[in-house]
C-alpha cells in the first residue's frame, strides 16, 4: 500500500509535465499556436497517480491500518488534494470488500495544493504573460518563445527579488535586438535598469536573444555575451617587467618594476626610450614564474597567460628582438608554442626540452591531452619528439613550469 509521503513524491514528479501543459495551454489560448514545437493541447485533469493500492484479499486489519493515513489526508476529508475512488469486490476469504481502485487529482487546485506548488505555477503564468506581451507580435515568435519556455522551466518558476523582474528582462532583450552593434560597455547602456541587473542575468538574457533571433544552432557561451550582443569588451591587458636594473620602466620621472598596459597600447609599445637596449624578451606562461623570473641582462619578460599569448600577434615590434617562450612541458604548452610561432617563427623555447624533463622527472604528473593524434606543426624536431614522449605516457604527461627550480633556471640562463 502506498504511503502519503510516497504519493506526494510521485505527484511532484508530475509537476514538470504539468508546467509544460500550462505552457502549451497558454500559447494555444493566447496565440492559437499549433506548431511542431508546441503540440496540440491535451486535458491534464483528472490526473491519476498509479501506485500499489493493496488487494481486497489482504489481511483486513493490516489493510485498514494502512488506509487510515491515506484517507485522513485525502480530499474526502480535507476538502482538497487527492481523491480516493473505491469499488466493491467480492473475495473468497473476506466476502465483499471495498477496494481502492484509483488515486487521482480532479482539478489543478487539488494537485497544486497537495504538492505545494501554487507559487511556482503563478510565477510561470506571470512570466509567460509578460514575455508574450513583449515579443509575440508574430506567430513566428510565439513558436520560438514556446519552445524556449519548454526548455527553460526553471527560469519561469524561480523567485526573483527584483521588482518587475520580467519586464526588465524584456526591456534589456528588446534593447539588444534593436541595437545589435552598440559598441558600448554594459554600464553605458541607456536603460532604466542598473548595470548589475544585466551582469547578474546574462545567461537568461542571452538564451532569450538566441531564441528570438532564431540562432538555435549557434552555441554561445556566457563568456562571449559582450561579443554576441555587440558590446564593448573589457580590454585585455599585458603585463611586463624588466629583468635588467639598467633598463627602467618609467612613469614620468618614476621608475617602476612592472607595467600593465591595454593590449591596444602594447601593440605600439616600440618606444626607443625603453626598448633601445632590450635584446631578449621572455614570454612566460605561469604568473608566479613570471613574477620571480631571475635577472637577465638586456631583457624584459611578459606574462603570457596561457592561450592568450596568441593575442600578441599584432605586436610586430617583437620581431626586432630575440623572443623566448617558456610554458609547461605538456601537450598544451607545446601547442601554445606552435601557435605563437605562426606569427613569430623565430621564437625559441626556453627549458622546454628533454634535459629539463629528465632533470625534474619525479615531478611529472597526469595532465589533459589534446584531441586527435596530430602533432603541432610549428615545433622543432626535438620538440616534436618530446611532445610524442609526453603523449605516450598518459599518466605522466605534464611537468608544470613551477616545478622547475630557480637554481636550474639561473644555470640555464648563464649558458
Amino acid at each position: 500500500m502506498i504511503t502519503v509521503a510516497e504519493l506526494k513524491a510521485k505527484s511532484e514528479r508530475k509537476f514538470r509535465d504539468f508546467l509544460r501543459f500550462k505552457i502549451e495551454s497558454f500559447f494555444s489560448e493566447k496565440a492559437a499556436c499549433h506548431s511542431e514545437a508546441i503540440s496540440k493541447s491535451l486535458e491534464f485533469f483528472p490526473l491519476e497517480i498509479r501506485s500499489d493500492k493493496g488487494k481486497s484479499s489482504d489481511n483486513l486489519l493490516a489493510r485498514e491500518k494502512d488506509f487510515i493515513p491515506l484517507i485522513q489526508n485525502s480530499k474526502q476529508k480535507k476538502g482538497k488534494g487527492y481523491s480516493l475512488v473505491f469499488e466493491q469486490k467480492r473475495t473468497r476469504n473476506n466476502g465483499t470488500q471495498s477496494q481502492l481502485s484509483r488515486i487521482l487529482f480532479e482539478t489543478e487546485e487539488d494537485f497544486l495544493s497537495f504538492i505545494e506548488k501554487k507559487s511556482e505555477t503563478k510565477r510561470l503564468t506571470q512570466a509567460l504573460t509578460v514575455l508574450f506581451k513583449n515579443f509575440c507580435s508574430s506567430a513566428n515568435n510565439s513558436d520560438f518563445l514556446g519552445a524556449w519556455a519548454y526548455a527553460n522551466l526553471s527560469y519561469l518558476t524561480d523567485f526573483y527579488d527584483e521588482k518587475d523582474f520580467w519586464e526588465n528582462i524584456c526591456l534589456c532583450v528588446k534593447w539588444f535586438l534593436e541595437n545589435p552593434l552598440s559598441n558600448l560597455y554594459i554600464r553605458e547602456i541607456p536603460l532604466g535598469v542598473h548595470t548589475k541587473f544585466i551582469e547578474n542575468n546574462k545567461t537568461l538574457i542571452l538564451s532569450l536573444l538566441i531564441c528570438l533571433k532564431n540562432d538555435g544552432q549557434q552555441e554561445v557561451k556566457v563568456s562571449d555575451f559582450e561579443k554576441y550582443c555587440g558590446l564593448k569588451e573589457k580590454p585585455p591587458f599585458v603585463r611586463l617587467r624588466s629583468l635588467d636594473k639598467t633598463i627602467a620602466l618609467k612613469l614620468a620621472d618614476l621608475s617602476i618594476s612592472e607595467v600593465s598596459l591595454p593590449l591596444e597600447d602594447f601593440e605600439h609599445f616600440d618606444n626607443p626610450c625603453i626598448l633601445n637596449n632590450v635584446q631578449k624578451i621572455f614570454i612566460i606562461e605561469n604568473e608566479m614564474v613570471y613574477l620571480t623570473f631571475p635577472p637577465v641582462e638586456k631583457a624584459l619578460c611578459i606574462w603570457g597567460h596561457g592561450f592568450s599569448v596568441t593575442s600578441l600577434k599584432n605586436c610586430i615590434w617583437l620581431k626586432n628582438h630575440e623572443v623566448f617562450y617558456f610554458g609547461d612541458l605538456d601537450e598544451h604548452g607545446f601547442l601554445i608554442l606552435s601557435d605563437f610561432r605562426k606569427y613569430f617563427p623565430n621564437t625559441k623555447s626556453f627549458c622546454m626540452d628533454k634535459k629539463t624533463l629528465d632533470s625534474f622527472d619525479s615531478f611529472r604528473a597526469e595532465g589533459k591531452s589534446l584531441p586527435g593524434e596530430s602533432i603541432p606543426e610549428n615545433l622543432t624536431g626535438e620538440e616534436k619528439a618530446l611532445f610524442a614522449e609526453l603523449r605516450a605516457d598518459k599518466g605522466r604527461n605534464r611537468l608544470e613550469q613551477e616545478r622547475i627550480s630557480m637554481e636550474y633556471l639561473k644555470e640555464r640562463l648563464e649558458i
Side-chain angles (χ1 to χ4, degrees):
M1 176 68 71
I2 191 169
T3 66
V4 176
E6 289 169 342
L7 178 58
K8 186 169 186 178
K10 292 193 77 166
S11 301
E12 286 173 340
R13 289 197 286 273
K14 295 287 185 181
F15 184 57
R16 190 174 184 85
D17 293 335
F18 169 73
L19 292 178
R20 287 177 170 169
F21 163 78
K22 291 292 286 184
I23 293 170
E24 182 180 346
S25 300
F26 178 91
F27 281 96
S28 295
E29 179 183 330
K30 293 280 188 181
C33 225
H34 299 287
S35 67
E36 292 182 8
I38 302 173
S39 61
K40 185 178 179 182
S41 179
L42 300 172
E43 290 298 323
F44 198 81
F45 298 101
L47 170 65
E48 183 173 353
I49 305 298
R50 300 187 181 279
S51 60
D52 175 18
K53 306 172 188 70
K55 298 178 181 178
S56 56
S57 58
D58 291 343
N59 179 279
L60 288 176
L61 291 176
R63 187 157 59 88
E64 184 178 351
K65 184 179 179 182
D66 290 339
F67 267 135
I68 290 174
L70 200 61
I71 293 172
Q72 286 178 338
N73 288 278
S74 69
K75 183 176 181 179
Q76 285 92 327
K77 289 292 184 180
K78 291 194 166 186
K80 57 185 176 182
Y82 58 87
S83 296
L84 303 175
V85 180
F86 293 90
E87 63 180 13
Q88 297 296 311
K89 188 168 183 179
R90 183 180 293 277
T91 67
R92 179 181 298 178
N93 297 325
N94 298 323
T96 301
Q97 296 292 325
S98 291
Q99 180 178 354
L100 179 60
S101 62
R102 300 173 73 199
I103 302 175
L104 55 86
F105 295 97
E106 296 176 303
T107 67
E108 179 178 316
E109 170 72 17
D110 290 332
F111 178 62
L112 296 178
S113 295
F114 182 64
I115 63 173
E116 301 175 288
K117 295 290 186 181
K118 284 186 177 181
S119 296
E120 288 89 336
T121 305
K122 183 179 179 181
R123 290 197 287 267
L124 174 126
T125 303
Q126 290 173 336
L128 289 177
T129 301
V130 174
L131 290 167
F132 186 87
K133 180 184 73 176
N134 280 276
F135 299 119
C136 291
S137 57
S138 69
N140 228 20
N141 275 3
S142 295
D143 287 357
F144 297 149
L145 196 60
W148 177 88
Y150 258 51
N152 292 278
L153 294 176
S154 60
Y155 282 133
L156 297 166
T157 56
D158 279 352
F159 171 76
Y160 302 100
D161 287 326
E162 295 93 341
K163 184 183 177 183
D164 300 323
F165 176 83
W166 284 103
E167 290 286 3
N168 288 334
I169 287 291
C170 292
L171 189 68
C172 295
V173 172
K174 288 169 84 171
W175 191 90
F176 286 125
L177 288 171
E178 294 165 3
N179 301 273
L181 297 170
S182 68
N183 198 33
L184 298 175
Y185 285 117
I186 287 178
R187 186 171 176 79
E188 296 176 308
I189 294 174
L191 285 175
V193 297
H194 56 81
T195 303
K196 292 301 290 183
F197 181 83
I198 301 176
E199 291 281 1
N200 293 339
N201 295 289
K202 280 183 176 181
T203 306
L204 172 53
I205 293 170
L206 186 60
S207 68
L208 277 168
L209 281 171
I210 292 171
C211 157
L212 295 167
K213 287 183 176 183
N214 193 21
D215 285 344
Q217 301 303 314
Q218 182 175 351
E219 268 192 48
V220 185
K221 298 178 181 177
V222 180
S223 57
D224 293 327
F225 180 87
E226 282 80 1
K227 185 177 181 180
Y228 183 79
C229 295
L231 297 169
K232 187 181 290 186
E233 301 178 65
K234 295 177 183 177
F237 276 73
V238 180
R239 288 170 61 180
L240 68 153
R241 50 185 290 263
S242 174
L243 299 176
D244 186 338
K245 289 183 178 180
T246 65
I247 301 174
L249 301 174
K250 285 187 171 292
L251 181 63
D253 294 329
L254 179 66
S255 294
I256 51 181
S257 59
E258 185 180 6
V259 171
S260 184
L261 293 173
L263 177 60
E264 185 178 1
D265 293 332
F266 189 72
E267 289 175 353
H268 308 287
F269 189 67
D270 47 346
N271 187 327
C273 296
I274 296 176
L275 297 176
N276 188 44
N277 294 319
V278 173
Q279 294 179 355
K280 298 178 180 179
I281 293 178
F282 291 84
I283 299 172
I284 300 167
E285 183 176 338
N286 179 273
E287 183 180 20
M288 189 51 63
V289 176
Y290 155 79
L291 290 170
T292 59
F293 200 73
V296 181
E297 187 178 351
K298 297 183 177 180
L300 298 175
C301 68
I302 297 170
W303 181 29
H305 200 191
F307 276 97
S308 65
V309 71
T310 53
S311 63
L312 299 174
K313 62 185 179 183
N314 293 324
C315 301
I316 307 300
W317 58 267
L318 286 173
K319 294 181 178 180
N320 300 326
H321 305 274
E322 191 176 7
V323 178
F324 297 84
Y325 175 74
F326 180 24
D328 291 331
L329 278 81
D330 63 5
E331 294 178 46
H332 288 272
F334 281 109
L335 177 60
I336 297 170
L337 172 61
S338 173
D339 287 345
F340 191 69
R341 279 187 179 144
K342 291 177 185 176
Y343 310 104
F344 303 99
N346 295 325
T347 300
K348 301 173 184 177
S349 62
F350 176 71
C351 285
M352 297 178 70
D353 51 28
K354 178 70 171 170
K355 179 180 179 182
T356 303
L357 187 66
D358 290 345
S359 297
F360 297 90
D361 181 78
S362 61
F363 293 118
R364 288 171 64 174
E366 183 177 358
K368 292 183 179 180
S369 295
L370 295 174
E373 298 298 325
S374 62
I375 294 177
E377 56 184 351
N378 300 312
L379 300 179
T380 65
E382 182 186 357
E383 289 164 353
K384 286 181 179 179
L386 194 57
F387 179 95
E389 178 182 336
L390 290 165
R391 169 171 279 176
D393 193 347
K394 297 297 183 184
R396 303 174 68 249
N397 62 348
R398 187 180 192 209
L399 173 63
E400 295 176 285
Q401 60 181 160
E402 288 175 286
R403 299 289 189 175
I404 302 170
S405 69
M406 292 283 289
E407 291 73 17
Y408 183 86
L409 294 181
K410 290 176 183 177
E411 288 176 11
R412 292 297 297 268
L413 288 167
E414 290 173 359
I415 295 175

